[in-house]
Amino acid sequence: MTNAQDKLLLARGHLADVLEAWHEPTDWKDLSVYGFHCLEAAIDAASMRVGLPTSRSHWKRVEVAMELHGSWGLPDVSELLRGLNDARKSHLYGDIPDPGMDAEDVASRIEEYVNAVEQLLTGTP
């Protein structure tokens, strides 16, 4: 993926999986993996749009998410991204405790973020 629109399309694809995974019974493995990758793709798309450097590093994306929130008014997903990373590790590897997130809230916040990034890219309110 080389441009912001491609990254947004990738995020939208992951979002469809997020919205499917959160319903009862919640598939936390899918929700955490797709949610994590969805946010990372959306952060990359927004970064490309505003000229911030992108990174393959999860922790750098957390920092970029905070900058996108502070300077461009996108929702703050830095803690959500950290929580999804922990949930992903918990459900894939079992080596850390589940952070105990609310599935509906997680899905809703991810969808809100992807929509906000799309508005940033298209310039529509």
Side-chain angles (χ1 to χ4, degrees), residues 80-95:
L80 178 58
L81 190 59
R82 286 184 184 116
L84 284 169
N85 191 42
D86 287 347
R88 181 182 65 89
K89 289 179 181 179
S90 174
H91 292 278
L92 289 177
Y93 311 124
D95 59 353

Side-chain angles (χ1 to χ4, degrees), residues 61-75:
R61 283 187 177 112
V62 169
E63 293 171 9
V64 171
M66 290 188 294
E67 187 168 348
L68 289 166
H69 169 67
S71 298
W72 283 275
L74 290 177

Side-chain angles (χ1 to χ4, degrees), residues 18-35:
V18 165
L19 296 176
E20 185 175 315
W22 81 264
H23 294 287
E24 291 295 327
T26 300
D27 182 341
W28 271 105
K29 184 172 69 172
D30 280 357
L31 180 55
S32 61
V33 169
Y34 289 120

Side-chain angles (χ1 to χ4, degrees), residues 43-108:
I43 289 165
D44 287 352
S47 298
M48 291 173 176
R49 171 64 178 88
V50 301
L52 291 175
T54 59
S55 173
R56 294 181 57 97
S57 162
H58 162 67
W59 299 111
K60 184 65 177 169
R61 283 187 177 112
V62 169
E63 293 171 9
V64 171
M66 290 188 294
E67 187 168 348
L68 289 166
H69 169 67
S71 298
W72 283 275
L74 290 177
D76 184 3
V77 293
S78 57
E79 288 302 316
L80 178 58
L81 190 59
R82 286 184 184 116
L84 284 169
N85 191 42
D86 287 347
R88 181 182 65 89
K89 289 179 181 179
S90 174
H91 292 278
L92 289 177
Y93 311 124
D95 59 353
I96 64 171
D98 184 330
M101 303 168 80
D102 177 81
E104 184 175 4
D105 180 60
V106 166
S108 175

